[in-house]
Amino acid sequence: MSHLILGIESSCDDTSAAVLRDEVLLSNVMASQEVHRQYGGVIPELASRAHQQNIVPVVHQALVQAGVTMDEIDAIAFTRGPGLLGSLLVGTSFAKGLSVSSGKPLVEVNHLQGHILSHFIQQPDQPKQPPKFPFLALLVSGGHSQIVRVDDYLTYEVIGHTIDDAVGEAFDKCAKIMGLGYPGGPVIDRLAKEGDPQRFTFAKPRIPDLNYSFSGIKTSLLYFLRDQVALDPDFIQKNQTDICASYQKTLIDILMDKLLKAVKLTGIREVAIAGGVSANSGLRNRILEEGKKRGWVTHIPEFKFTTDNAAMIAITGLYKFRSGSRAELDLAPISRALDYH
Ligand code: KG4
Ligand code: ZN
């Protein structure tokens, strides 16, 4: 039987709504919040206000573009967390209101699960081969860095995670220190392409198991730049591309070291990347290269499914809905990943 799912995402600074017919994407509407750029980071209070303004037109547009009415929708999937509490509250409350007024069931979605399951979204007339279970997912975003073993749509085990900052934060902070604006990932990615990744070296952390740490490298960049700028005030401008290339290479090396270890430990050679940082061209190339060399089946997401979007919430909602999962109206959002079960 065919299912129509409406997905709603509001965990950070993008308001998004999407409609899926089974795995096939019918619409994916996004309102990005420009207001944060001038502050060099997301301001939670401004984010929730912008979600309030955007959510009604965004959901409306998603239904219109999909050519469906609320009557035809089988379930409303919404991001319960993790994310900014004020932002999550807007999406959660809206989804509940819509559920009451339309009589449609609600399905709660873990945002991180959404990033991983984005690999299962199909686009009309562009069939793709999704990952086969079990697979390993390197989930890298602005808030999280994890290696996840995925045994089924809804069966996961986080086998490695960051003990401090996420890798996306390491990109964003670097850009902030260098005066390159927010978000940092895309601009560093662009500048790194023109630079020499061997020019500078940054110390890599020594963390046991499959865990990550990204706070040390940030500090090491800060001290390095401070020392260099003391000698030459124009150091950053003159060496921008080489700094970005060297810093980005170090971050990718750190990510890959543990991913290689995870493949060795689990024997799983089906490998996917997901989350905002999986838009990084250096990381995408590197994973393809390693995969080719080592005989992995690699899965690189389409750009529009790397950063936050509601299509990934809808696809997760679809699998949860089919498994019988339903959310109650008194369900509260959850801001921390660790509190999510
Ligand atoms: O998944 P996402 O949209 O939001 C969270 O769930 O956190 O990820 C946002 C993060 C930001 O840190 C941003 O700088 C990073 O993804 N990002 C990138 C690139 N595009 C976005 N990082 C590196 N290279 C990129 N091209
Ligand atoms: Zn995200």
Side-chain angles (χ1 to χ4, degrees):
M1 203 179 114
S2 174
H3 293 120
L4 260 185
I5 308 289
L6 169 66
I8 297 174
E9 153 67 30
S10 74
S11 67
C12 190
D13 59 343
D14 293 314
T15 320
S16 179
V19 177
L20 288 187
R21 187 184 301 280
D22 300 323
E23 278 90 350
V24 180
L25 186 64
L26 301 185
S27 66
N28 188 25
V29 176
M30 179 97 63
S32 293
Q33 302 179 2
E34 292 300 318
V35 60
H36 307 287
R37 273 184 197 276
Q38 56 185 305
Y39 300 100
V42 177
I43 309 291
E45 171 63 24
L46 296 181
S48 31
R49 284 192 211 183
H51 283 306
Q52 288 274 19
Q53 286 174 342
N54 295 339
I55 197 148
V56 172
V58 163
V59 171
H60 178 71
Q61 264 303 310
L63 292 168
V64 169
Q65 284 185 18
V68 301
T69 62
M70 235 4 250
D71 265 358
E72 298 167 77
I73 295 287
D74 290 293
I76 304 161
F78 67 97
T79 306
R80 185 184 181 195
L84 300 170
L85 202 57
S87 293
L88 291 166
L89 267 168
V90 177
T92 306
S93 311
F94 182 84
K96 288 177 185 176
L98 192 58
S99 166
V100 170
S101 63
S102 65
K104 306 292 178 179
L106 276 177
V107 181
E108 58 153 309
V109 171
N110 177 335
H111 179 89
L112 302 180
Q113 203 170 338
H115 272 302
I116 295 172
L117 293 182
S118 65
H119 282 281
F120 293 86
I121 301 166
Q122 295 285 347
Q123 299 192 80
D125 310 322
Q126 297 175 36
K128 74 170 272 264
Q129 192 65 48
K132 291 192 176 68
F133 301 113
F135 68 92
L136 292 180
L138 176 66
L139 171 57
V140 278
S141 73
H144 304 90
S145 305
Q146 302 181 334
I147 300 177
V148 185
R149 180 193 163 110
V150 188
D151 284 296
D152 189 16
Y153 296 114
L154 306 177
T155 314
Y156 297 82
E157 192 190 343
V158 178
I159 57 175
H161 61 88
T162 178
I163 58 166
D164 42 52
D165 294 345
V167 63
E169 277 178 277
F171 274 103
D172 294 337
K173 295 261 165 66
C174 168
K176 198 168 181 175
I177 296 169
M178 293 177 65
L180 299 173
Y182 175 86
V187 53
I188 293 177
D189 191 355
R190 185 165 47 76
L191 292 170
K193 281 186 194 145
E194 286 145 40
D196 173 7
Q198 313 294 346
R199 171 95 186 275
F200 305 113
T201 43
F202 299 102
K204 287 198 248 164
R206 285 202 207 110
I207 306 293
D209 307 322
L210 296 174
N211 293 335
Y212 289 119
S213 164
F214 291 102
S215 75
I217 180 170
K218 225 174 51 193
T219 317
S220 120
L221 173 74
L222 188 64
Y223 287 156
F224 168 73
L225 293 179
R226 190 196 58 185
D227 293 348
Q228 297 298 327
V229 168
L231 300 171
D232 174 5
D234 296 330
F235 179 82
I236 296 182
Q237 276 97 321
K238 285 185 197 154
N239 299 286
Q240 221 175 33
T241 55
D242 289 348
I243 300 168
C244 288
S246 305
Y247 184 77
Q248 176 173 297
K249 179 180 181 295
T250 314
L251 293 180
I252 294 172
D253 284 348
I254 297 171
L255 289 174
M256 290 309 295
D257 282 353
K258 293 296 170 91
L259 186 61
L260 291 173
K261 202 169 163 184
V263 169
K264 236 182 228 158
L265 274 171
T266 59
I268 298 173
R269 284 154 175 267
E270 187 99 10
V271 180
I273 49 172
V277 179
S278 70
N280 185 271
S281 48
L283 179 61
R284 294 165 82 92
N285 290 338
R286 183 72 184 278
I287 210 135
L288 285 173
E289 244 170 57
E290 293 283 350
K292 214 169 168 189
K293 201 162 82 192
R294 295 164 195 275
W296 302 350
V297 181
T298 47
H299 299 271
I300 311 291
E302 253 197 63
F303 282 109
K304 66 176 171 202
F305 299 137
T306 58
T307 48
D308 294 346
N309 65 85
M312 70 187 200
I313 303 307
I315 191 103
T316 310
L318 171 76
Y319 296 125
K320 291 191 77 171
F321 177 71
R322 285 181 179 166
S323 79
S325 165
R326 302 288 184 273
E328 299 296 328
L329 283 174
D330 59 359
L331 202 75
I334 289 177
S335 60
R336 276 165 28 106
L338 290 176
D339 296 336
Y340 214 111
H341 297 291

